């Protein structure tokens, strides 16, 4: 039974990104569609199973967007890990910690593969849990040394800047995220995604990890910016689940089902070779997938065995 601290210790970002890449190469992985049950008050219950030849997991979490305003975490729950052959429970991981770290590690894996200038500087838009996780992941996995932070809350931005400086990074708060795009070839948007947060175009050499919007109704990037990126750069989604979940792209009227996935990139499939451009910005849309939690379970059990 791993609490939040023990779960984090078992999931170092570079090793977790390696586990994610290994999972995308594993043909035994099976991930059925996740169940999302609406809850009274605007929250959701997520039931997310996945399995491979050795392990089976279910992530059971709630997401309540306005919880932080009341001093509660937006995400709560657990990841339960079973032996796929015996059915024996192997571990219980802290759900919010797994969600934060595997989401940031997915962005790290995508940036490793796709970012034209992975050294940064990095712009983080949204200074919550995902902002902090992505800061740590990109510092540990890409060697980013400079970061700018934009948030609707100056206090939240200042807290993340202080954390970045504590890690030895150069960091500053910026009040205009659109203007900061011109300075940063690495961009992570991880806002609550209740309204458009970015209306300017990223740099031609930018890599964008768009994380905040994971339902068709959620949005962070203006539709005209998404259409510009589709016309001039390369769009990649995390999995085929994004076909009906990638709010930024769906609201821009783009054919998400025609876009390559991160698995296509890792496996260098014909779909990826047809889609990639030699130049232009890269927009990576992440929506979430229980396979990422299965990779985290693999990583955590390997750490325990060591």
């Amino acid at each position: 039974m791993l609490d939040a601290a023990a779960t984090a210790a078992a999931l170092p970002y570079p090793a977790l990104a390696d586990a994610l890449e290994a999972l995308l190469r594993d043909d035994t992985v099976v991930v059925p569609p996740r169940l999302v049950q609406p809850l009274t008050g605007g929250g959701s219950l997520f039931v997310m199973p996945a399995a491979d030849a050795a392990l089976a997991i279910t992530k059971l979490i709630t997401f309540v967007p306005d919880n932080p305003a009341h001093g509660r975490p937006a995400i709560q729950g657990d990841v339960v890990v079973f032996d796929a052959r015996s059915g024996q429970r192997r571990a219980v991981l802290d759900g919010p910690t797994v969600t934060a770290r595997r989401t940031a590690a997915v962005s790290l894996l995508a940036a490793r593969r796709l970012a034209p200038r992975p050294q940064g500087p990095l712009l983080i838009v949204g200074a919550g849990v995902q902002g902090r996780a992505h800061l740590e992941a990109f510092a540990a996995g890409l060697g980013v040394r400079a970061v700018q932070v934009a948030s609707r809350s100056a206090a939240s931005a200042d807290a993340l800047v202080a954390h970045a400086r504590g890690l030895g990074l150069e960091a500053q708060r910026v009040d205009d995220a659109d203007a900061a795009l011109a300075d940063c070839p690495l961009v992570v948007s991880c806002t609550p995604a209740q309204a458009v947060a970015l209306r300017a175009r990223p740099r031609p050499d930018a890599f964008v990890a768009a994380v905040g919007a994971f339902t068709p109704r959620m949005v962070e990037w203006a539709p005209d910016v998404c259409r510009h990126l589709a016309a001039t750069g390369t769009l990649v989604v995390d999995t085929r689940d994004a076909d009906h979940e990638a709010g930024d792209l769906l609201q821009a009227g783009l054919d998400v089902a025609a876009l390559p996935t991160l698995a296509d990139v890792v496996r260098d499939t014909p779909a990826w070779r047809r889609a990639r451009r030699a130049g232009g910005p890269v927009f990576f849309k992440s929506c979430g997938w229980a396979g990422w939690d299965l990779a985290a379970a693999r990583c955590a059990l390997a750490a325990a065995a060591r």
Side-chain angles (χ1 to χ4, degrees):
M1 304 285 290
L2 278 66
D3 62 12
T7 299
L11 300 175
Y13 288 108
L16 182 50
D18 291 342
L20 292 164
E21 180 164 355
L23 180 131
L24 291 177
R25 298 183 183 278
D26 186 347
D27 292 330
T28 72
V29 172
V30 178
V31 184
R34 66 188 179 192
L35 172 66
V36 183
Q37 175 65 45
L39 301 176
T40 301
S44 299
L45 171 67
F46 289 78
V47 183
M48 301 171 62
D52 60 22
L55 297 177
I57 68 102
T58 294
K59 183 161 77 171
L60 184 66
I61 58 169
T62 56
F63 173 69
V64 182
D66 64 352
N67 262 1
H70 303 284
R72 297 185 295 266
I75 294 175
Q76 301 173 79
D78 298 295
V79 177
V80 187
V81 187
F82 300 92
D83 183 279
R85 293 187 180 274
S86 70
Q88 180 183 9
R89 189 179 65 183
R90 297 284 306 278
V92 179
L93 311 178
D94 181 70
T97 304
V98 170
T99 300
R101 295 182 78 86
R102 60 79 150 158
T103 304
V106 169
S107 298
L108 170 59
L109 173 58
R112 281 177 173 179
R113 288 281 185 162
L114 300 170
R117 294 184 56 185
Q119 71 276 9
L122 168 65
L123 171 64
I124 297 177
V125 185
V129 170
Q130 281 298 337
R132 182 184 179 104
H134 278 78
L135 169 71
E136 295 171 350
F138 280 39
L142 297 178
V144 167
R145 307 309 305 162
V147 60
Q148 299 184 25
V149 179
S151 174
R152 294 180 303 173
S153 165
S156 296
D158 288 341
L160 189 55
V161 165
H163 180 59
R165 290 173 178 168
L167 296 176
L169 278 62
E170 299 178 16
Q172 63 177 329
R173 188 185 88 201
V174 293
D175 296 322
D176 187 341
D178 283 334
L181 288 171
D183 300 322
C184 298
L186 284 179
V187 182
V188 174
S189 61
C190 46
T191 74
Q194 301 303 300
V196 170
L198 291 137
R199 300 182 181 279
R201 296 176 177 179
R203 294 161 47 127
D205 60 353
F207 168 84
V208 175
V211 175
F214 54 86
T215 73
R217 298 175 301 280
M218 300 172 82
V219 65
E220 297 183 299
W221 289 83
D224 64 305
V225 174
C226 293
R227 289 190 287 269
H228 168 76
L229 292 167
T232 64
T234 302
L235 273 57
V236 178
V237 295
D238 58 345
T239 73
R240 286 274 65 93
D241 285 1
D243 295 354
H244 56 271
E245 295 174 346
D248 299 292
L249 304 180
L250 293 169
Q251 293 182 41
L254 299 174
D255 183 5
V256 181
L259 301 177
T261 67
L262 187 55
D264 289 317
V265 175
V266 166
R267 292 176 176 240
D268 193 26
T269 66
W272 166 236
R273 291 195 291 271
R274 288 192 300 269
R276 65 185 173 189
R277 286 192 171 97
V282 177
F283 188 87
F284 174 67
K285 184 72 201 85
S286 180
C287 294
W289 185 53
W292 309 141
D293 304 301
L294 177 60
R298 290 177 170 185
C299 189
L301 290 181
R306 290 193 297 272

